Amino acid sequence: MSDTLLAEKPAEKTAKPITVLEALNQALADAMAEDDTILVLGEDVADPEEGGVTGVTRGLSTRFGDKRVRSTPISEQAIIGAAIGASLAGYKPVAEIMLMNFTTVAMDMIVNHAAKLRYMSGGQTNVPIVIRTMTGAGFSTGGQHADFLEAWFAHTAGIKVVIPSNSADAYGLMRSAIDDPDPVLFVENMPNYWTPYPRFDPGHRVPIGKARVAAEGSDITIVSYARMMNEAQGAAARLAESGISVELIDLRTIAPWDQETVLASVAKTGRCLVVHEAVVPFGVGAEIAAVVSEKLFGKLKAPVGRVGAPFNPVPFSKPLEDAHIPNAARIADAALALVKGHSN
Amino acid sequence: MLTNSHHPDAATQVEMFRRMALLKANDERSRKVVTAGRLAIPYYSYRGQEVIPAAMSVNLTDQDYLCTIYRGIHDVIAKGTPLKAVWAEIAGRVNGTCKGKGGPMHLTYPSKGVMVTTGIVGSSMPIANGLAWAAQLSGDGRVAVATFGDGASNIGAFHESLNLASVWKLPVIFLCSNNRWGEHTAYGKTTPVARISDRAAAYGMAGIHVDGNDPLAMYAAAREAVERARAGEGPTLIEAMTFRFHGHVFGDADRYMDKAEKAKWVAADPYPAFRARLIAEGLASEETLAGFEADAEAQLDEAVEYALGAEFPGLEELSTDVFGEAA
């Protein structure tokens, strides 16, 4: 279940790292070059508007033309509606909703239409769109610009949800999302846009629905995704100093999540801790905890643990924001409690 | 402003009536079947509003796109969707347009351009924009039509859609059937402008206010909008004035409706008026028109029995069509 795509051709990798932002730009450019039905739309996405507020789509309109890469008005319902309609007619739009909080403005289009048109039409129509959106606390943007809302979408049948943690996955998941015949919500984690990660092979794909075992271990399984993978890795290093061996799983896809990989790991370690940046109540961790508990009841050495943000909006003031975001120390403490407190 | 330069020839007028006859008979049959307890469905009668889809559809081809709403079965049928498939769908049967998984509020029939039927007020418009965008990119000359009611002109998606369509000059037609009621609430209590078509000006778009119960005027409005779209000159908002003869949803006794206003509109029922005029002007004979009506009834006899005698989808359909096969 480890990332064989990366492991297969290590010789082709170059030493120069690549940021998540560059990887996303490369994925869009490569896909558009291969398939002229791929369109990009969203606020500020074309080059006269600087290729988006963070530059993910920079260069695309210059290269592929302003018919295929269009900046839109600030109209989230219109953006997703246009993407849906064009997809019904055979195009593959990649629509950007600048921030995840703004998806709320377009929820009708996403939840009632994009996710359901295949089912309600009895399979006659489908909506092969990608909805790109970014989020993540750490920039003092306050309560309306940094929420992780992936559980809302994962709770809706008919839409897939992916969240990469590094450049290779950002590229590979984006290519798979564009290829997918159904709507995919593609969540980008703003705080790690500019983080350099190892380079990947051109054309590399990461299948939707497959998790990656980032590190093997024997005492506890930590399941995480997005930038929290960095914190979980930090936690694993701390725990190693205490002689605790962590198996670390990067979920990569939230819906449908890779139960097989997670259950196999927890069956081996007997302990599971789910870590995400979203608030804990009703979150992705709740679903994973429920399934792990149900499937592995009797084999668990401890209750499934969860680490996430406390149940409050993202605060503005820096010390409060820092306290809101889960970090390596909190994750290590929670893991330690599970290992020490409940070991047989 | 409407130029009124488009006049339907005799054959087109007769064809519009033929479609109206089918739509009227279909609505009456639907209410009869529900009343008799043969079907338990949410049903939104469009009786009284038949001119608008008849006049619009004769200006469209099977390749043109339609996004309609829950009170839009007349749009779906006028666009050419086979009656048997429609009835099987509203009866939830496996041989319906959507295998019984859409129902009366979610009819889809792409081979006739029926791409979306939505149960959410106002949501036909953003998607029609996307279909029109695809037509613009492909240069295939198709137009997209979004139908909706007056209540939909107050949701955000209406304003976002008109703005985007105008700024992108999309070949889309926003066709509002203003029947004066948004669910149970009168137009004047929810909408501060006398005419919805006036809102077109705010988006730099052509706006047409038309009597949607006048077949000739409605034809001219539809024709003008379709020609504008096909010529690459951008979108049109048509406000077609009409009236629904029944409550919001079947079973609603419409006690909130002003009785005098309703009586006035029902007395001016466009169906018998158009029928009488076609005969008076010698455009069609009584026999021809009666033949359309008899044919509609016969088609409905067949469609209803076909639908009610058909199989329900197997339970394996419960979880199919959620996702397709990944590439």
Side-chain angles (χ1 to χ4, degrees):
Chain A
M1 287 300 150
S2 63
D3 190 355
T4 52
L5 286 165
L6 272 178
E8 275 168 5
K9 300 176 187 172
E12 292 183 26
K13 284 192 284 184
T14 62
K16 189 173 177 287
I18 179 169
T19 66
V20 170
L21 192 149
E22 290 166 338
L24 290 167
N25 183 271
Q26 190 63 47
L28 292 167
D30 289 356
M32 292 188 81
E34 286 178 22
D35 181 352
D36 59 15
T37 68
I38 295 166
L39 311 173
V40 167
L41 72 160
E43 293 154 19
D44 304 328
V45 298
D47 289 332
E49 293 74 45
E50 302 187 304
V53 292
T54 57
V56 172
T57 54
R58 195 163 293 158
L60 297 179
S61 75
T62 300
R63 184 169 166 195
F64 299 105
D66 57 9
K67 282 200 166 88
R68 292 181 64 193
V69 181
R70 282 202 185 176
S71 292
T72 64
I74 301 171
S75 304
E76 281 78 12
Q77 294 184 78
I79 292 167
I80 302 300
I84 293 170
S87 78
L88 292 175
Y91 286 87
K92 293 180 181 173
V94 179
E96 177 177 324
I97 297 296
M98 191 181 289
L99 294 179
M100 196 165 201
N101 285 83
F102 308 161
T103 61
T104 59
V105 182
M107 276 310 230
D108 171 49
M109 282 293 130
I110 300 171
V111 171
N112 291 318
H113 295 89
K116 291 180 185 162
L117 291 183
R118 179 190 283 277
Y119 192 81
M120 295 197 305
S121 72
Q124 293 183 92
T125 58
N126 64 310
V127 181
I129 66 172
V130 179
I131 302 168
R132 286 186 44 241
T133 193
M134 67 180 172
T135 194
F139 291 86
S140 292
T141 49
Q144 296 176 339
H145 283 63
D147 274 332
F148 269 86
L149 306 174
E150 66 275 15
W152 295 9
F153 299 94
H155 196 59
T156 300
I159 187 166
K160 296 171 185 173
V161 181
V162 302
I163 308 188
S165 70
N166 58 70
S167 302
D169 284 0
Y171 181 94
L173 283 168
M174 178 57 75
R175 296 301 305 269
S176 295
I178 290 170
D179 289 343
D180 198 272
D182 293 299
V184 178
L185 183 76
F186 194 100
V187 185
E188 299 163 15
N189 201 180
M190 193 158 54
N192 80 340
Y193 261 152
W194 298 276
T195 309
Y197 289 96
R199 194 162 277 272
F200 44 84
D201 299 335
H204 141 85
R205 299 285 199 286
V206 173
I208 290 174
K210 291 288 179 198
R212 177 177 67 102
V213 178
E216 296 193 2
S218 54
D219 295 323
I220 184 168
T221 300
I222 296 182
V223 180
S224 190
Y225 51 90
R227 186 176 58 98
M228 282 300 111
M229 281 298 294
N230 297 344
E231 300 299 327
Q233 268 158 357
R238 291 175 188 224
L239 291 160
E241 290 168 13
S242 310
I244 295 166
S245 165
V246 172
E247 180 138 308
L248 183 56
I249 295 179
D250 184 350
L251 210 50
R252 303 199 290 197
T253 299
I254 306 304
W257 65 281
D258 186 352
Q259 294 191 16
E260 190 184 355
T261 298
V262 172
L263 290 170
S265 174
V266 180
K268 181 177 78 174
T269 63
R271 298 180 185 88
C272 181
L273 180 69
V274 189
V275 177
H276 53 57
E277 187 170 324
V279 296
V280 171
F282 301 94
V284 170
E287 174 67 13
I288 294 174
V291 171
V292 168
S293 302
E294 185 183 308
K295 305 271 188 187
L296 298 176
F297 185 72
K299 293 181 185 166
L300 290 170
K301 297 172 186 164
V304 180
R306 291 182 283 163
V307 173
F311 200 39
N312 51 252
V314 180
F316 165 72
S317 183
K318 198 60 190 164
L320 297 181
E321 188 186 42
D322 289 346
H324 180 82
I325 308 167
N327 57 29
R330 277 178 56 199
I331 297 164
D333 288 349
L336 201 58
L338 290 181
V339 174
K340 298 285 186 194
H342 301 278
S343 58
N344 291 331
Chain B
M1 281 303 293
L2 185 59
T3 57
N4 256 337
S5 60
H6 302 287
H7 189 81
D9 60 20
T12 304
Q13 291 195 49
V14 172
E15 174 58 18
M16 282 164 56
F17 180 82
R18 192 190 66 77
R19 294 186 195 199
M20 284 174 64
L22 184 59
L23 302 181
K24 174 172 172 284
N26 184 73
D27 178 77
E28 287 168 348
R29 185 66 65 95
S30 300
R31 286 181 282 119
K32 199 169 154 185
V33 168
V34 173
T35 304
R38 300 185 75 195
L39 265 187
I41 56 167
Y43 183 70
Y44 299 86
S45 173
Y46 51 81
R47 183 65 195 92
Q49 304 185 181
E50 294 89 348
V51 168
I52 298 163
M56 187 77 240
S57 64
V58 295
N59 284 292
L60 300 174
T61 72
D62 289 352
Q63 283 69 50
D64 291 322
Y65 298 117
L66 172 70
C67 296
T68 184
I69 59 162
Y70 55 92
R71 196 188 309 283
I73 293 179
H74 53 353
D75 294 327
V76 170
I77 294 172
K79 195 76 176 53
T81 310
L83 215 49
K84 283 162 77 171
V86 169
W87 270 87
E89 185 57 35
I90 70 173
R93 302 314 210 267
V94 71
N95 49 357
T97 54
C98 309
K99 297 195 280 188
K101 295 161 84 162
M105 286 197 275
H106 306 298
L107 293 155
T108 303
Y109 202 73
S111 64
K112 293 290 181 180
V114 180
M115 303 308 291
V116 175
T117 301
T118 172
I120 310 283
V121 167
S123 64
S124 57
M125 291 173 269
I127 300 175
N129 269 349
L131 289 158
W133 182 28
Q136 183 185 62
L137 287 165
S138 305
D140 56 20
R142 297 182 190 202
V143 306
V145 179
T147 61
F148 54 98
D150 44 295
S153 76
N154 293 324
I155 92 155
F158 168 91
H159 300 277
E160 291 194 14
S161 299
L162 265 64
N163 185 66
L164 186 78
S166 190
V167 80
W168 286 10
K169 229 173 178 185
L170 296 175
V172 61
I173 296 162
F174 301 105
L175 177 54
C176 175
S177 292
N178 184 348
N179 66 20
R180 316 299 296 168
W181 290 93
E183 303 213 352
H184 295 218
T185 304
Y187 179 86
K189 283 189 183 175
T190 60
T191 312
V193 290
R195 293 182 169 195
I196 288 168
S197 56
D198 288 348
R199 288 179 166 171
Y203 302 102
M205 181 187 302
I208 297 175
H209 182 85
V210 63
D211 178 354
N213 284 1
D214 176 340
L216 298 182
M218 188 61 222
Y219 175 89
R223 182 93 208 161
E224 182 178 318
V226 169
E227 288 187 0
R228 178 177 293 116
R230 291 211 206 282
E233 292 166 5
T236 304
L237 170 64
I238 300 175
E239 178 188 24
M241 302 307 296
T242 187
F243 198 82
R244 61 165 215 248
F245 289 179
H246 297 279
H248 169 60
V249 65
F250 189 78
D252 153 15
D254 68 32
R255 282 185 290 270
Y256 47 85
M257 276 184 163
D258 181 278
K259 296 292 172 285
E261 187 194 20
K262 181 177 168 180
K264 184 193 79 177
W265 282 91
V266 172
D269 187 344
Y271 181 83
F274 188 33
R275 192 182 194 284
R277 192 176 60 68
L278 289 178
I279 294 169
E281 294 182 6
L283 298 174
S285 67
E286 161 65 28
E287 290 71 26
T288 299
L289 303 189
F292 291 155
E293 288 159 339
D295 180 58
E297 295 297 338
Q299 283 189 55
L300 284 160
D301 289 345
E302 190 187 358
V304 172
E305 296 316 313
Y306 170 84
L308 296 183
E311 298 289 326
F312 286 103
L315 291 184
E316 73 281 0
E317 285 291 343
L318 186 60
S319 353
T320 63
D321 302 321
V322 178
F323 293 112
E325 295 292 319

